Amino acid sequence: MSHQPVVATKTSGDMDKPLISRHLVDSNSSLAEAPSEVPKAGILGSGDFARSLATRLLGSGFSVVVGSRNPKRTAWLFPSAAHVTFQAEAVSSPEVIFVAVFREHYSSLCGLSDQLAGKILVDVSNPTEQEHLGHRESNAEYLASLFPNCTVVKAFNVISAWTLLSGPRDGNRQVPICSDQPEAKRAVSEMVHAMGFTPVDMGTLASAREVEAMPLRLLPGWKVPTLLALGLFICFYAYNFIRDVLQPYMQEGKNKFYKLPVSVVNTTLPCVAYVLLSLVYLPGVLAAALQLRRGTKYHRFPDWLDHWLQHRKQIGLLSFFCAALHALYSFCLPLRRSHRYELVNLATEQVLANKSHLWDEEEVWRMEIYLSLGVLALGTLSLLAVTSLPSIANSLNWREFSFVQSTLGFVALVLSTLHTLTYGWTRAFKERHYKFYLPPTFTLTLLVPCVVILAKGLFLLPCFSRRLAKIRRGWEKDGAVKFTLPADHTLVEKTSLV
Ligand code: NAP
């Protein structure tokens, strides 16, 4: 189908690079038979995925033949270097054929059984959630049952047509692969590599169901942390609403409902961020306490603690998100009309009371320190969030990663605590701040973080830290594993887990 001279490239780079070699084009400018050394790939189907796959394969140095029920209608949609023809002709020469059609149309390909015998069929399909639940066997296993003389390999289903086109650097790089035939798996893995992706061996075709379930997942690992953050937000918002809006309305007749969209949200967000941050470090403290009590690290933690430990990253990122929103809202506070009116009213009151100089030294210092600690806490939290990105985390060794996540994370918690304390200052000790007898919100938020900080401090005492270090090196209270800790036990701490 090609009529333009194009130049070969084996790289998986930009798609605007020339695609296949000049010697593929004969003197009449029509596509000549590809020389035997150019690997050939077949594609059944001419839809979105087939088009992206053909473009990527051509850009990676393969020659491509596409099988369509109606090649005349679809050929113009493909790069000119791809050979678009009828299905039967397309599957005759390539050894590897990508089946880019939906499961319900697999049976319409059965007429090609003879030509396909002995070839590798790559199943790229993705079931919908309903299909996944409705069928007991995976699409790949179903395809294998229709074509018993072929070897079916499951691959590429997690890669979208868009990622195939734009290149792996803009999307997911990993391509899980499974098949009952190691040789076929190896051949497809090599193609995956050549196309710039990373093959991940998922074993036999029995894993295809698991591989097909991958694109159906919606943010696994985020459900519980998100619900936790939402729950905390609702509780703190309701509490702040009662104190800041309902109490003035009911007891003083003041209408402060205008505070609902910005002010109450902005008092709620830091509470959520702060408590979430402490919940990142609380399970570590509980785990250490359990190990100390049991005198061993070889007993499993309870399931709830295990799950909690595994979700710390998500909880930390949600804490950062709330803290960042709090910073943004705080910047917007002076922009509100209500704030301007309050300022003007205060100035008028000053003039009427004949006061010329309004300056409260203690308040000035409190605000300066409070703001500075808040910025420092947010900065440290940002560092934690950035280092949790896989690309950055992968560039750190274990010690660097644990220093940032554990030590700097704890510093962020201490800074946030100081930020909260300077915000509260002496309010906790003044009766007028107990609206409806409810303590100021910041006193509630301090509870968990203070427990975490005190427990961490406690575990630093030599009697606990030495025992913990021994336990994490395999020592057991009642077991056979007993030894004396090296003199420099700090080294042990630096390499220990949890
Ligand atoms: P599509 O645009 O609807 O293309 C499907 C193609 O199947 C049609 O163009 C058609 O080509 C061919 N086909 C063969 N026999 C057919 C029949 N009996 N009835 C109807 N069509 C038939 O779908 P797609 O988005 O390319 O997806 C194709 C496969 O790739 C699906 O299994 C999908 O799950 C998988 N996938 C897609 C993506 C994506 O991002 N789109 C990502 C991962 C996996 P002819 O008319 O030329 O024969």
Side-chain angles (χ1 to χ4, degrees):
M1 305 298 295
S2 171
H3 300 286
Q4 289 167 6
V6 280
V7 181
T9 171
K10 280 265 181 189
T11 66
S12 54
D14 301 328
M15 300 314 296
D16 53 359
K17 280 182 187 167
L19 297 174
I20 58 174
S21 69
R22 277 178 196 282
H23 60 256
L24 291 179
V25 181
D26 64 18
S27 48
N28 303 326
S29 286
S30 64
L31 186 73
E33 195 58 40
S36 56
E37 67 267 18
V38 176
K40 201 169 197 175
I43 301 174
L44 281 173
S46 62
D48 298 333
F49 194 80
R51 280 197 297 278
S52 303
L53 185 63
T55 315
R56 167 70 35 201
L57 281 165
L58 286 165
S60 308
F62 291 86
S63 80
V64 174
V65 53
V66 179
S68 168
R69 289 168 305 163
N70 192 343
K72 272 197 179 151
R73 195 190 58 190
T74 50
W76 66 275
L77 297 166
F78 283 80
S80 53
H83 179 37
V84 184
T85 179
F86 288 101
Q87 289 175 335
E89 192 193 339
V91 299
S92 62
S93 57
E95 280 310 304
V96 179
I97 291 143
F98 291 85
V99 183
V101 305
F102 287 101
R103 176 188 174 123
E104 59 265 37
H105 305 312
Y106 285 177
S107 54
S108 72
L109 304 174
C110 284
L112 304 168
S113 303
D114 289 343
Q115 289 103 308
L116 289 172
K119 306 209 170 193
I120 298 172
L121 296 184
V122 184
D123 183 300
V124 302
S125 68
N126 272 325
T128 60
E129 204 154 349
Q130 265 180 336
E131 285 170 344
H132 186 68
L133 295 174
H135 299 297
R136 282 184 56 213
E137 63 182 354
S138 63
N139 289 359
E141 287 167 310
Y142 173 58
L143 186 69
S145 71
L146 290 178
F147 297 93
N149 294 328
C150 301
T151 307
V152 173
V153 177
K154 182 84 207 178
F156 283 104
N157 64 305
V158 299
I159 304 293
S160 69
W162 179 85
T163 304
L164 271 177
L165 257 192
S166 60
R169 63 172 169 240
D170 288 343
N172 183 15
R173 266 179 183 277
Q174 296 190 335
V175 175
I177 297 182
C178 62
S179 172
D180 289 338
Q181 241 265 9
E183 274 307 310
K185 203 157 53 175
R186 194 168 310 136
V188 177
S189 295
E190 278 168 16
M191 293 181 90
V192 171
H193 248 309
M195 291 160 79
F197 294 94
T198 312
V200 178
D201 192 342
M202 297 290 291
T204 63
L205 208 61
S207 314
R209 218 179 134 72
E210 191 189 330
V211 175
E212 287 173 9
M214 286 177 180
L216 297 175
R217 290 187 203 141
L218 181 69
L219 302 175
W222 281 89
K223 196 172 161 190
V224 176
T226 309
L227 286 177
L228 176 72
L230 265 178
L232 281 174
F233 186 88
I234 291 169
C235 291
F236 278 119
Y237 189 89
Y239 193 82
N240 288 327
F241 167 73
I242 294 171
R243 280 180 45 85
D244 298 348
V245 180
L246 209 58
Q247 188 273 341
Y249 183 71
M250 291 181 68
Q251 293 193 334
E252 298 160 29
K254 289 182 184 165
N255 183 348
K256 301 225 170 175
F257 284 88
Y258 70 89
K259 285 188 167 188
L260 289 179
V262 178
S263 186
V264 180
V265 173
N266 193 36
T267 15
T268 303
L269 281 170
C271 303
V272 181
Y274 184 39
V275 173
L276 282 178
L277 184 63
S278 66
L279 293 181
V280 173
Y281 295 96
L282 184 60
V285 165
L286 294 177
L290 258 184
Q291 287 179 335
L292 277 174
R293 205 172 78 102
R294 291 169 168 174
T296 176
K297 70 168 183 176
Y298 296 114
H299 282 186
R300 267 185 61 87
F301 293 132
D303 278 351
W304 59 267
L305 186 55
D306 240 3
H307 283 122
W308 194 351
L309 285 162
Q310 283 164 21
H311 284 107
R312 284 179 294 179
K313 174 179 161 179
Q314 287 87 341
I315 299 175
L317 284 173
L318 284 169
S319 163
F320 168 68
F321 176 67
C322 293
L325 279 184
H326 168 51
L328 276 179
Y329 268 100
S330 302
F331 276 125
C332 296
L333 288 181
L335 301 177
R336 294 171 309 152
R337 279 263 170 249
S338 55
H339 177 76
R340 290 188 200 174
Y341 292 145
E342 274 167 9
L343 267 187
V344 172
N345 289 340
L346 185 68
T348 316
E349 277 170 27
Q350 284 286 109
V351 172
L352 290 177
N354 217 3
K355 287 185 189 163
S356 59
H357 189 65
L358 186 62
W359 187 270
D360 182 340
E361 190 71 19
E362 186 182 311
E363 265 301 287
V364 168
W365 272 99
R366 181 183 77 83
M367 276 311 279
E368 301 285 316
I369 298 170
Y370 161 72
L371 284 177
S372 177
L373 286 168
V375 171
L376 285 175
L378 182 63
T380 321
L381 262 185
S382 321
L383 213 63
L384 293 182
V386 169
T387 46
S388 71
L389 293 173
S391 54
I392 310 264
N394 290 344
S395 68
L396 302 174
N397 66 28
W398 167 248
R399 199 173 161 191
E400 289 162 345
F401 184 76
S402 94
F403 169 75
V404 175
Q405 293 296 324
S406 181
T407 314
L408 279 190
F410 187 63
V411 169
L413 185 65
V414 172
L415 286 170
S416 309
T417 305
L418 295 174
H419 178 62
T420 311
L421 286 173
T422 43
Y423 169 78
W425 210 243
T426 54
R427 280 181 226 194
F429 310 110
K430 291 183 179 158
E431 203 185 327
R432 68 190 158 92
H433 290 296
Y434 285 72
K435 299 175 179 175
F436 279 149
Y437 301 106
L438 297 173
T441 323
F442 79 93
T443 55
L444 302 185
T445 62
L446 280 167
L447 206 69
V448 186
C450 286
V451 168
V452 173
I453 293 171
L454 284 177
K456 281 248 181 197
L458 209 65
F459 291 150
L460 285 179
L461 296 177
C463 55
F464 291 121
S465 67
R466 280 188 69 82
R467 197 176 162 87
L468 254 182
K470 276 201 297 184
I471 289 171
R472 287 171 182 177
R473 290 280 285 189
W475 179 88
E476 287 188 281
K477 187 171 63 174
D478 306 317
V481 192
K482 288 191 189 285
F483 59 85
T484 323
L485 205 63
D488 182 15
H489 77 281
T490 50
L491 189 73
V492 178
E493 282 171 358
K494 279 166 191 160
T495 52
S496 68
L497 307 174
V498 178

